[in-house]
Amino acid sequence: PQDISTFAWALAVMSTHHSAALATIARCSMARISEFGMQDLSITAWAFAKLLYQDRRPLLATIAQESLHKLPSFSGRNLANLSWAFATAQQRDLTLSEALV
């Protein structure tokens, strides 16, 4: 999962909107989401939000679900990145929002 999240992060840092690559990252992420650690989840959410990828919503919903199970182990930075990502992407997840406060 770190290779997937790092690739997403690199595309976002370079502001590269490569639809095929982002679609592949989203598909692979959703297939392996249970393997993602807290940093992988927050970085992937951050990257897709920063790029405002058109089809980000299913991935972010999947990240929200998985994050709920792992939230107690998130660092402050991971929580900040996850919160920023959902706010920037205008992705609402009431359960995750309540868990974050």
Side-chain angles (χ1 to χ4, degrees):
Q2 185 178 1
D3 54 340
I4 297 170
S5 63
T6 301
F7 185 41
W9 173 84
L11 291 175
V13 168
M14 296 184 308
S15 296
T16 302
H17 296 265
H18 191 285
S19 294
L22 292 168
T24 300
I25 292 168
R27 188 177 66 252
C28 291
S29 295
M30 289 190 290
R32 297 180 58 193
I33 200 72
S34 64
E35 299 172 36
F36 277 49
M38 57 200 164
Q39 186 161 340
D40 303 316
L41 292 165
S42 64
I43 286 175
T44 304
W46 177 88
F48 275 75
K50 182 176 186 304
L51 292 171
L52 290 175
Y53 176 60
Q54 181 178 352
D55 296 324
R56 67 190 176 272
R57 297 202 183 282
L59 174 60
L60 291 178
T62 303
I63 288 173
Q65 278 297 112
E66 189 63 27
S67 295
L68 285 170
H69 303 295
K70 298 175 179 172
L71 214 52
S73 61
F74 272 50
S75 70
R77 175 178 280 167
N78 298 142
L79 291 171
N81 285 339
L82 192 65
S83 299
W84 180 91
F86 277 77
T88 299
Q90 297 180 348
Q91 178 91 2
R92 305 292 182 255
D93 187 286
L94 185 58
T95 308
L96 180 62
S97 296
E98 288 176 347
L100 288 170
V101 246

